[in-house]
Structure formats: C-alpha cells, structure tokens
Amino acid sequence: MSGGWRQETFAFYEFSIDQPSGRGAVLTPTTYEVTLYKNGESVKHRRADARLSVNAADWPQVAAVLDEPMAEVRWYPKTRTLVGARGIVGRDHAGDTID
C-alpha cells in the first residue's frame, strides 16, 4: 500500500485517552486512541485490525458511530488519521461522508 486511505467494516473497538499534562498540555490536544477489531476472533486474540487517533472534540460523534453493531471506517493507516465513519445499521456518521 502506498500510503493511501483504507475503508473497512469493524464490529468492536476499545479506546484510551491520551491527555497530556504539564507544559505540553497547552500545545498537544487530548486525543482518543482507538483500537478497531473486525470480529470476535480478533478481540479474543488481542489482534488489532486498525488503530487510529481521534481528537477529543470529535470523539462524541465518532463514539456514537462505533457504538453501532457495525461501523464502516475510512482512515489513513500510516498517520492513523480518521477520515470518516458511518454506521452500517443506523444513520450515524462522523467526519467526511463515505459511501
């Protein structure tokens, strides 16, 4: 892959909060570090299918999509940047609209 975006469907996710402290907190925003799994087997074996970072301001909308039974996510793997996400069942979406 040459650094382009990927789009895949995920069923499960985990997240942690990266909240800088001290002097760095002013210059570095709080982010949510998200681990995505395609299926229960990936979760069971702790084999992440994707990892990305989400700005704290965008997290509520992204979390609503990821909370759906299945979510389609478009991201740049090299930079771990979210482009967009949408629920497969519901109408929730985050970021850029994806088809």
Side-chain angles (χ1 to χ4, degrees):
M1 173 158 253
S2 62
W5 58 264
R6 293 181 71 179
Q7 184 170 316
E8 296 182 87
T9 302
F10 298 98
F12 304 99
Y13 75 99
E14 297 175 328
F15 71 91
S16 63
I17 302 172
D18 183 9
Q19 188 168 19
S21 59
R23 291 182 183 171
V26 175
L27 301 173
T28 307
T30 298
T31 57
Y32 286 74
E33 302 302 318
V34 183
T35 304
L36 298 166
Y37 302 97
K38 290 183 180 180
N39 54 46
E41 251 337 270
S42 293
V43 174
K44 179 180 175 183
H45 296 291
R46 309 299 294 164
R47 187 179 57 242
D49 294 300
R51 296 183 198 284
L52 54 95
S53 294
V54 178
N55 289 332
D58 298 330
W59 178 246
Q61 191 174 12
V62 172
V65 173
L66 295 178
D67 280 341
E68 291 194 20
M70 299 287 282
E72 193 162 7
V73 178
R74 183 181 291 172
W75 82 104
Y76 286 95
K78 190 171 184 175
T79 61
R80 298 177 30 187
T81 304
L82 175 74
V83 175
R86 69 179 172 131
I88 299 296
V89 177
R91 297 183 181 261
D92 286 332
H93 72 279
D96 291 350
T97 303
I98 60 175
D99 299 323

